[in-house]
Structures are given as structure tokens and as C-alpha cells.
Amino acid sequence: AILPGTWVLFEDVQKPDNDQGKQMYKNDQLRGLLSNLRKWGQIESTKNVSHASRFHIAREVIAEKVCPAFASFLEVKKEYVMLPSAIEFNILGNLWYPKLGEANTAEWLRDDFIDKDKNIHCLTGGNAFNESNGLAGTNFYRPNFKSGQIGFRVMIVFPQKPR
């Protein structure tokens, strides 16, 4: 089998340690976009948290508001901008970005599942809440859950053009 080639742009910004939900990603290229989305009411503001923060944003809001706004800013198709899946996050972390598993915060991932009661749950990754988790540490929450300990990063996937 031949796997299709794909170009992927993956953010290498360092995930911060938790500071009671007030932490920020350093040199964050999404700060302006996130500030504007909160100012325009697209992302709910949280008291005592910067409008530029990647934290306190539900996974469903990232998928429905943040990724499409970022795609529009970059002038790429909205289906190209997404959260990494658990396997992408883990492979990229193991091969090139080991710091993804070092901070004591987590990040939203693209994967979700439906439980026996038909409730949707979304995965988070990089949960280094104790020494045994790190990059492979995962958890799951409802799509509308917001937390000061869960941030996110986006990736842009450019599919291979057919020959």
C-alpha cells in the first residue's frame, strides 16, 4: 500500500504550565484572533482571564468558531484547519516535539467518541499532571466543557493533489 503524501503545518508553540487558568502560550500567533473573537462574542469571556488566552475555550467552540476564523485569516479552506488527532499529536510529539508532554496542562484533540448513553466525549492530550502521563496522557470531556487547564493548538493539512 502507498500512503498519500500530505503537507502539514503544526504549531510548535510551547504549552505553558498551569497558573490557576491565567497562563498564556508564549509568542502566541493566535492572540489577536482570539482577542477579536472574544470581543465580537464568538468566544465567551472568562473573568480574570486574558481575551487572548487559549484556555477556557470549549472544544466545540474551537471547531465551530476558532478554526474557521483562522482559516479565513490564512485564506485556506476551512476543512484544512483543525486540531490534531491523538495519534498525530503523539507521533509528532515523539518524533519532533517532546515538550508537548512536559507541561501540567492539556490540549484539546480532534478525536471524540460516543458512550453507551449516546453522549459525545472529546479527547485531550499531553496531560502531564503526574510523572507517569506526559505525552501519552489522555482524558476526555464533553464538547462544551471549558477549563483553565486545557488549551489547544491547530494544524493545517494540505492534501496531496491528484496526479
Side-chain angles (χ1 to χ4, degrees):
I2 297 174
L3 297 175
T6 302
W7 283 97
V8 176
L9 298 177
F10 185 79
E11 288 189 284
D12 67 350
V13 62
Q14 176 61 40
K15 184 172 58 139
D17 276 320
N18 186 26
D19 183 19
Q20 299 177 340
K22 297 177 186 174
Q23 67 279 355
M24 299 285 292
Y25 285 68
K26 291 182 181 175
N27 304 316
D28 190 352
Q29 300 300 311
L30 289 180
R31 283 182 180 202
L33 178 69
L34 294 173
S35 291
N36 285 336
L37 289 173
R38 282 193 169 101
K39 182 172 66 175
W40 300 331
Q42 299 293 305
I43 301 174
E44 187 178 332
S45 296
T46 302
K47 187 178 180 179
N48 299 322
V49 174
S50 169
H51 276 86
S53 177
R54 290 188 189 217
F55 294 88
H56 298 280
I57 304 176
R59 211 297 290 276
E60 66 185 4
V61 172
I62 296 165
E64 295 169 8
K65 304 291 183 184
V66 178
C67 287
F70 191 49
S72 177
F73 175 76
L74 294 175
E75 298 181 4
V76 299
K77 293 181 179 182
K78 65 181 179 181
E79 59 267 20
Y80 292 2
V81 179
M82 63 194 75
L83 296 170
S85 68
I87 194 165
E88 291 161 343
F89 186 85
N90 200 282
I91 288 172
L92 290 167
N94 276 298
L95 293 177
W96 294 291
Y97 306 106
K99 292 185 183 238
L100 290 177
E102 291 181 4
N104 63 1
T105 52
E107 292 186 343
W108 286 112
L109 300 172
R110 188 170 71 242
D111 308 271
D112 53 34
F113 66 92
I114 299 173
D115 67 18
K116 63 181 174 64
D117 297 321
K118 301 196 182 337
N119 295 309
I120 297 173
H121 300 280
C122 305
L123 292 184
T124 62
N127 304 342
F129 300 125
N130 64 49
E131 291 181 20
S132 65
N133 286 339
L135 185 60
T138 58
N139 212 331
F140 59 91
Y141 302 93
R142 299 297 306 272
N144 62 347
F145 180 75
K146 297 186 324 180
S147 171
Q149 292 188 1
I150 305 172
F152 69 95
R153 72 185 58 240
V154 294
M155 58 188 251
I156 300 113
V157 178
F158 297 98
Q160 180 184 39
K161 291 184 181 183
R163 295 180 189 207

